[in-house]
Amino acid sequence: MDKQVLGYLGLLGCFLHILMPGAMTASEFEMDGDYLIGGLFDIHHVSGTPYRDRPETITCSSQRLILSSYRRFQLMRFSVAEINNSTSLLPNVTLGYKIFDHCSDTQNFPGIFNLISVNDFIQPWDESRKNLSKVTAVVGTYTSTETLTVAPLFMMNLIPMVSYGAASSVFSRKQNFPSFLRTVHPNKDVIEVVFNILKQFSWRWVSFLYSDGDYGKDGLDLFMDKIKDTDICLAYTKGLTENTDYPQTLKQLEIQRVGVIIVFAPEWTAEALIKAAIKENITNKVWIAGDAWSLHKQLPKEEGIRNIGTVLGVAEPVLTIPGFSDFIYFSKAESQQENANQGKFCNQNCDCSNVTADDIINADPSFNFPVYSAVYAIAHALHTALQCGDGRCSPDITVDPYMVLTALKKSNFSLLNHRVQFDDNGDPNFGSYSIVFWNHSGDAEEVGFYSFHSSFQFNINSTKIQWHANGEVPKSICSKECNEGSAKKQEGIHKCCFSCTVCPNGTYVNITEDPYDCIDCKDTEWSEAGSTSCNLRLVEYVPFTDIGAVVIMVGTWIFIGLIIAVSVLFAINYNTPVVKSAGGPICFLILVCLSLSDISVFFYFGEPTTASCILRFLPFLMFYTVCLACFVVRSFQIVCIFKIAAKFPNLLSWWTKYNGQWLIITVAFITQAITLTIGYSIAPSKPFNDTMSYSKSIILGCDFNFEGIAASLVLLLSLCCLCFIFSYMGKDLPKNYNEAKAITFCLLLLIFTWIILATASILYHGKHIHTFTALAILSSLYSFLLWYFLPKCYIIIFQPHKNTQQHFQGLIQNYTKTVSQ
């Protein structure tokens, strides 16, 4: 297949040779030498691509002259002349060149075929190497589209092609372009600089206008990839062509409220856009120019250019090339003496007689050093291939293009204080970029730099920039930044367009990680509405040193002391009527159970544990049940003796015979023990962190499972009811035997205490609810001690005359008389 292609190219070369025989040399475009370098410069530019129904070439000199390209063309001629005059580089070897005006990417093939032909024929490279091209390497072309068109023709025979302007990323693929190198930085480097400018000034809402070709589309793809995970949004993009409706494009920019416009296009496209912006009275914008037009000479001086806003640009540093100006003056003087009528090969004619030396010297200097370094890189590669040294080069070596390519890839030389090297992709491993500002004098003033091989890479002196916005850095945002503590809510497809929502309590927003979401605080943290971080919650529980805890524990020890005192008093007066009427041995059981019940009080203080959570209720429920059972038995006994025995004598007999009081108490105790064991097995109480009641604190408590103690509470309530019923039945019994009022009052006090606690638990959820619970338990214990036992102690101590058998007998006789009447 390759041989067929080469065959067709050979035929086309033959036809071109027939059509244009006897081409004569043009001094500016051709110069003989031992080794030829090809050159492709778009000295003229074709505006538009007219429709053609057959292949045809174009006369470039009839098109618009691009002065900056003509300067680059002259710089190649100067570089070759300077090398030929050098005694250290390529001694006793002269370089020649053959340059073509490459003004079109589709109609300039005669010049390309001329460079790759051998004796005006294009043939495959055979092993004898007789069909090698006469050029050693090629400098050019300028644009990416032009390069994509012609590069494959040079790649076939590995003819080195060193471009000074083709910046598309595709040329870094060595599998497709094995003999392509470039001295201009690829688009990714320019995009990197533009991106850093946007970050420097916090511009987030930008537009990207690009030439609708390989160069511009590659720049757009790289830019979109660069901003993909950043806070920069691309508000509007547009590919610019010769047929672009600029007023409509500029109107869209106004509709989108874009403040920063990146223009990634060659100078002729940028010219049309900027002039249209001036005409359409587009104002107060920041224009960021790519390296292709940032050093434009005429546009900064265009009338009305200040009205469009501020123009910044990315450009290669302007380097003064010694001797170039003298060369131009001499060259123009010499060209005026030439015979204007001499024959020239296709597109080796400039018709630039009206261009003065000063016009060339003062033209846009963009890409001048890339041209200069490209020619020198080829010369140094030839120097290596020819094994030059000691003032001469080896005359016996036949240099093939691929040998020059091998040496080119290993380039490492100094040129105007720059170390010229290439990386593995053939991209430059040297150089930097300047950031320029179009000042009010119409000049591109350097205000910053970006270095690719320095620790201090990027810097802009913004004080040198005369901003259009009253001297202040302009803003370019879609939506105003949210206040601190507010999250963004995206509106539409652009993340830069949003509304703001204040983060509620318990959440915060971290703008560095995710400005679009309110993040929930951890359970151990809290935050107020509109927070940017969470605070650690205060962990609260009632310590043993708390004043309330100390008071209750002191009260508990006093209670224990009173229990001991009452027990001793009752033991001393065990056989007296008061002790017997109070219950006799049952009194001691009640006192013991009351003292054991107060164990629960101590476990409401300190940091909760599983054991303390279980012991908060277990001793109280267990032993308080026995106390209530004792009071039920005692109430029943009194009623039974005075009222039930007469009607049901067998019941009293059975009660006495089988010790009914101890049976009831034992059954109550065992039943409560079983219910508590089952309850705590099903739903055990355990430590619980209350994070819901208060936002700023965590209340340490116990997970109270009502299901676990429901049966125990039912049993307690049942005993309370029975106790109350029997006490009420005995309300008219003899005074010393009448415990109804005391027991009833104790029960009412008990119920009132726990109603108050239940109400407090509903209204208050702080740490002191545990103190209140401990107080309720202690109050329940004190109620029986104070209102049941202490009155009897008072009689024993202060009214001993009432603690006699005769006194009690008298009370019984009076009661009997009252009943009989």
Side-chain angles (χ1 to χ4, degrees):
M1 186 65 184
D2 291 340
K3 291 184 177 180
Q4 281 184 316
V5 172
L6 291 172
Y8 289 130
L9 292 176
L11 289 173
L12 184 56
C14 293
F15 284 122
L16 290 173
H17 180 68
I18 294 170
L19 291 172
M20 289 180 273
M24 297 181 65
T25 299
S27 60
E28 279 199 324
F29 287 86
E30 281 193 87
M31 186 175 75
D32 292 332
D34 297 327
Y35 294 93
L36 284 181
I37 301 177
L40 298 171
F41 293 84
D42 50 352
I43 300 172
H44 297 84
H45 175 67
V46 176
S47 297
T49 305
Y51 172 76
R52 305 187 309 277
D53 56 5
R54 63 178 181 177
E56 58 185 33
T57 189
I58 190 171
T59 304
C60 290
S61 58
S62 64
Q63 304 297 315
R64 175 191 172 191
L65 174 68
I66 306 298
L67 195 58
S68 58
S69 290
Y70 186 54
R71 175 188 167 103
R72 290 189 282 269
F73 158 76
Q74 294 291 353
L75 193 59
M76 176 175 173
R77 297 181 61 240
F78 165 74
S79 303
V80 173
E82 189 175 59
I83 291 167
N84 285 338
N85 289 328
S86 172
T87 57
S88 58
L89 183 60
L90 291 176
N92 76 313
V93 173
T94 58
L95 288 180
Y97 53 77
K98 182 172 283 192
I99 306 175
F100 292 93
D101 186 358
H102 196 79
C103 63
S104 169
D105 57 331
T106 58
Q107 296 174 274
N108 266 150
F109 284 97
I112 306 301
F113 294 143
N114 186 283
L115 291 176
I116 65 175
S117 64
V118 179
N119 298 323
D120 298 326
F121 287 90
I122 300 175
Q123 296 178 358
W125 178 19
D126 58 22
E127 294 182 1
S128 63
R129 299 187 299 179
K130 294 180 179 179
N131 296 319
L132 294 176
S133 168
K134 55 182 172 288
V135 297
T136 303
V138 177
V139 176
T141 56
Y142 176 55
T143 71
S144 295
T145 301
E146 292 169 349
T147 306
L148 277 171
T149 304
V150 304
L153 299 174
F154 295 103
M155 300 298 107
M156 290 187 300
N157 288 340
L158 294 181
I159 298 174
M161 187 176 185
V162 186
S163 176
Y164 53 86
S168 177
S169 301
V170 70
F171 298 116
S172 297
R173 303 174 189 166
K174 292 301 100 180
Q175 64 271 32
N176 298 331
F177 300 94
S179 61
F180 180 89
L181 299 95
R182 52 184 162 193
T183 50
V184 63
H185 283 276
N187 282 338
K188 67 179 180 66
D189 292 341
V190 180
I191 294 300
E192 180 69 26
V193 182
V194 171
F195 176 72
N196 277 273
I197 294 174
L198 298 179
K199 286 202 305 181
Q200 173 79 14
F201 298 112
S202 299
W203 290 328
R204 301 189 184 98
W205 190 238
V206 302
S207 174
F208 195 94
L209 305 182
Y210 59 97
S211 57
D212 194 12
D214 300 285
Y215 166 74
K217 290 177 180 178
D218 181 62
L220 175 64
D221 291 341
L222 290 168
F223 183 73
M224 292 180 68
D225 186 64
K226 189 69 179 177
I227 66 173
K228 181 172 56 178
D229 296 321
T230 69
D231 57 357
I232 299 173
C233 295
L234 194 52
Y236 178 71
T237 63
K238 177 68 176 178
L240 306 178
T241 65
E242 295 85 356
N243 302 317
T244 296
D245 185 350
Y246 286 107
Q248 180 62 30
T249 300
L250 295 168
K251 183 179 179 181
Q252 284 296 321
L253 292 174
E254 291 290 277
I255 292 173
Q256 296 290 341
R257 297 179 290 111
V258 180
V260 175
I261 305 166
I262 303 163
V263 183
F264 206 77
E267 58 182 285
W268 46 84
T269 303
E271 277 181 16
L273 174 66
I274 298 301
K275 289 179 179 178
I278 296 172
K279 184 178 179 181
E280 295 297 321
N281 196 29
I282 301 299
T283 58
N284 300 327
K285 305 292 184 186
V286 175
W287 304 80
I288 300 181
D291 57 345
W293 66 283
S294 56
L295 299 180
H296 202 290
K297 291 297 183 178
Q298 283 74 42
L299 273 180
K301 298 177 175 62
E302 192 78 20
E303 185 178 354
I305 190 69
R306 299 289 157 261
N307 296 333
I308 68 171
T310 304
V311 181
L312 301 177
V314 180
E316 293 191 355
V318 178
L319 298 177
T320 300
I321 300 177
F324 178 61
S325 297
D326 295 336
F327 173 81
I328 293 298
Y329 284 120
F330 176 80
S331 179
K332 291 304 290 183
E334 186 181 56
S335 64
Q336 291 173 0
Q337 300 174 6
E338 291 180 0
N339 182 0
N341 296 321
Q342 71 177 7
K344 298 179 179 66
F345 188 79
C346 179
N347 289 328
Q348 286 189 307
N349 183 21
C350 181
D351 287 342
C352 303
S353 56
N354 59 335
V355 177
T356 66
D358 289 334
D359 291 337
I360 300 172
I361 293 169
N362 295 323
D364 181 352
S366 299
F367 305 101
N368 280 201
F369 185 73
V371 172
Y372 191 60
S373 56
V375 176
Y376 264 88
I378 294 171
H380 275 275
L382 264 173
H383 186 92
T384 301
L386 289 170
Q387 300 178 4
C388 299
D390 298 328
R392 62 189 304 277
C393 297
S394 176
D396 303 326
I397 298 176
T398 301
V399 177
D400 295 329
Y402 75 89
M403 299 168 63
V404 178
L405 174 63
T406 301
L408 264 173
K409 291 179 178 179
K410 299 177 182 178
S411 295
N412 188 359
F413 62 93
S414 181
L415 183 66
L416 298 183
N417 296 322
H418 285 76
R419 176 60 55 179
V420 178
Q421 293 175 297
F422 300 97
D423 62 20
D424 294 339
N425 296 323
D427 296 330
N429 230 354
F430 59 92
S432 61
Y433 273 113
S434 296
I435 292 95
V436 298
F437 158 67
W438 287 8
N439 61 28
H440 292 175
S441 301
D443 298 320
E445 178 184 354
E446 183 173 331
V447 295
F449 67 89
Y450 187 98
S451 176
F452 297 101
H453 308 286
S454 170
S455 57
F456 188 57
Q457 287 191 325
F458 179 73
N459 180 59
I460 292 182
N461 186 357
S462 58
T463 59
K464 290 185 177 181
I465 304 174
Q466 298 166 305
W467 301 105
H468 63 269
N470 299 320
E472 297 181 356
V473 178
K475 295 182 179 179
S476 185
I477 55 176
C478 179
S479 298
K480 186 179 178 181
E481 280 300 308
C482 295
N483 294 328
E484 190 177 74
S486 295
K488 300 175 182 178
K489 182 180 179 182
Q490 184 172 326
E491 296 180 343
I493 62 173
H494 295 293
K495 60 187 176 184
C496 294
C497 303
F498 50 81
S499 58
C500 299
T501 304
V502 178
C503 289
N505 291 335
T507 65
Y508 71 100
V509 62
N510 188 338
I511 59 173
T512 58
E513 291 183 3
D514 184 8
Y516 296 89
D517 189 28
C518 292
I519 306 170
D520 292 329
C521 292
K522 298 177 182 178
D523 288 341
T524 57
E525 298 175 332
W526 69 275
S527 69
E528 295 180 347
S531 296
T532 57
S533 63
C534 292
N535 304 305
L536 283 175
R537 288 189 178 191
L538 180 65
V539 178
E540 294 186 353
Y541 59 91
V542 182
F544 287 100
T545 55
D546 182 79
I547 184 64
V550 171
V551 169
I552 290 174
M553 286 188 292
V554 169
T556 304
W557 286 113
I558 292 173
F559 176 79
I560 294 172
L562 290 174
I563 289 288
I564 294 172
V566 171
S567 300
V568 171
L569 183 64
F570 273 41
I572 294 172
N573 298 276
Y574 181 75
N575 294 316
T576 62
V578 170
V579 175
K580 289 181 179 180
S581 68
I586 292 179
C587 291
F588 295 98
L589 178 60
I590 295 173
L591 291 170
V592 171
C593 287
L594 287 176
S595 62
L596 291 175
S597 295
D598 67 10
I599 295 175
S600 295
V601 173
F602 296 98
F603 294 100
Y604 281 89
F605 310 117
E607 187 173 350
T609 62
T610 302
S612 67
C613 286
I614 293 174
L615 293 174
R616 283 186 177 188
F617 273 107
L618 183 62
F620 176 73
L621 292 174
M622 180 74 72
F623 297 110
Y624 205 71
T625 299
V626 176
C627 292
L628 287 176
C630 290
F631 283 111
V632 169
V633 168
R634 181 60 189 147
S635 301
F636 177 77
Q637 280 179 323
I638 295 172
V639 172
C640 183
I641 291 170
F642 284 95
K643 290 189 174 183
I644 301 176
K647 296 180 182 180
F648 305 99
N650 293 331
L651 179 60
L652 179 60
S653 175
W654 179 89
W655 182 269
T656 305
K657 180 179 180 181
Y658 293 104
N659 293 314
Q661 68 272 29
W662 298 111
L663 181 62
I664 296 298
I665 294 170
T666 304
V667 169
F669 177 76
I670 294 174
T671 303
Q672 187 67 290
I674 293 173
T675 56
L676 285 173
T677 303
I678 295 174
Y680 277 112
S681 299
I682 295 173
S685 184
K686 54 188 177 182
F688 171 70
N689 297 339
D690 180 7
T691 60
M692 302 300 294
S693 300
Y694 299 95
S695 60
K696 298 183 181 181
S697 60
I698 300 174
I699 309 299
L700 300 187
C702 293
D703 186 12
F704 177 75
N705 295 300
F706 182 78
E707 299 85 355
I709 61 172
S712 299
L713 294 178
V714 169
L715 179 58
L716 276 176
L717 289 173
S718 300
L719 292 174
C720 284
C721 292
L722 288 173
C723 189
F724 187 84
I725 291 170
F726 292 136
S727 298
Y728 183 78
M729 290 173 65
K731 66 182 185 299
D732 56 348
L733 294 177
K735 187 176 180 181
N736 279 24
Y737 287 93
N738 189 356
E739 312 295 342
K741 291 181 180 179
I743 295 175
T744 301
F745 185 78
C746 290
L747 292 173
L748 290 175
L749 186 60
L750 177 67
I751 293 170
F752 183 69
T753 299
W754 288 95
I755 288 175
I756 292 176
L757 178 64
T759 305
S761 300
I762 294 172
L763 300 177
Y764 172 71
H765 298 89
K767 66 178 181 179
H768 291 294
I769 196 64
H770 307 304
T771 305
F772 298 155
T773 306
L775 184 61
I777 291 174
L778 191 60
S779 175
S780 301
L781 300 177
Y782 263 105
S783 65
F784 283 112
L785 178 65
L786 295 177
W787 302 107
Y788 185 80
F789 287 101
L790 287 189
K792 294 172 175 50
C793 293
Y794 178 80
I795 293 173
I796 294 172
I797 297 172
F798 298 104
Q799 295 179 338
H801 62 280
K802 293 182 179 181
N803 190 17
T804 62
Q805 192 67 32
Q806 293 80 6
H807 181 75
F808 272 76
Q809 287 294 335
L811 293 175
I812 295 172
Q813 290 173 1
N814 291 333
Y815 172 76
T816 304
K817 291 179 181 179
T818 304
V819 172
S820 63
Q821 291 176 357

